[in-house]
Amino acid sequence: MSLISSEAGPVLTVRYFAGARAAAGGVSEESAEAATVDELTQLLTNRHGERLALVMKAASFLVNGLACHDRTAELPAGATVDVLPPFAGG
C-alpha cells in the first residue's frame, strides 16, 4: 500500500501544540494529505476554521523534527508535521 495519494499529496501526521491545539478544537494529532506546508495550511483551515488559520500564519513548522522554513517545499510521504505557535515568555 502506497502512502502517496495521486490527488492530494502524501499522507502526513499533523501534531498540534499549545495554542494551535486549542485553535484546532482540542485535537492533538490527525492525518492529512498535502504536498506542501502551504497546501496543508489551506486544508487544515478548511477543516478547522479561521481561528486555526490565524495561528498557522504565525506558526513554525517542524517536518520530521527539522525546522521547515520553505512552505512551498515538497513534504515527504509519511512525514510528521508539528505545528508550533509562537510561545509567550521566551
Side-chain angles (χ1 to χ4, degrees):
M1 182 169 96
S2 174
L3 288 178
I4 297 178
S5 166
S6 62
E7 290 295 316
V11 175
L12 312 165
T13 299
V14 181
R15 299 188 307 184
Y16 300 102
F17 294 87
R21 180 181 297 158
V27 173
S28 61
E29 185 175 298
E30 66 182 324
S31 295
E33 294 182 28
T36 66
V37 171
D38 279 344
E39 189 177 297
L40 181 64
T41 298
Q42 184 61 54
L43 174 91
L44 297 174
T45 295
N46 293 345
R47 190 179 287 179
H48 296 289
E50 280 302 309
R51 184 171 172 214
L52 182 60
L54 291 173
V55 170
M56 292 187 78
K57 281 183 184 179
S60 297
F61 298 89
L62 299 180
V63 177
N64 291 333
L66 300 174
C68 177
H69 301 290
D70 181 359
R71 292 182 180 215
T72 64
E74 292 291 318
L75 294 169
T80 297
V81 179
D82 295 330
V83 181
L84 306 170
F87 292 94

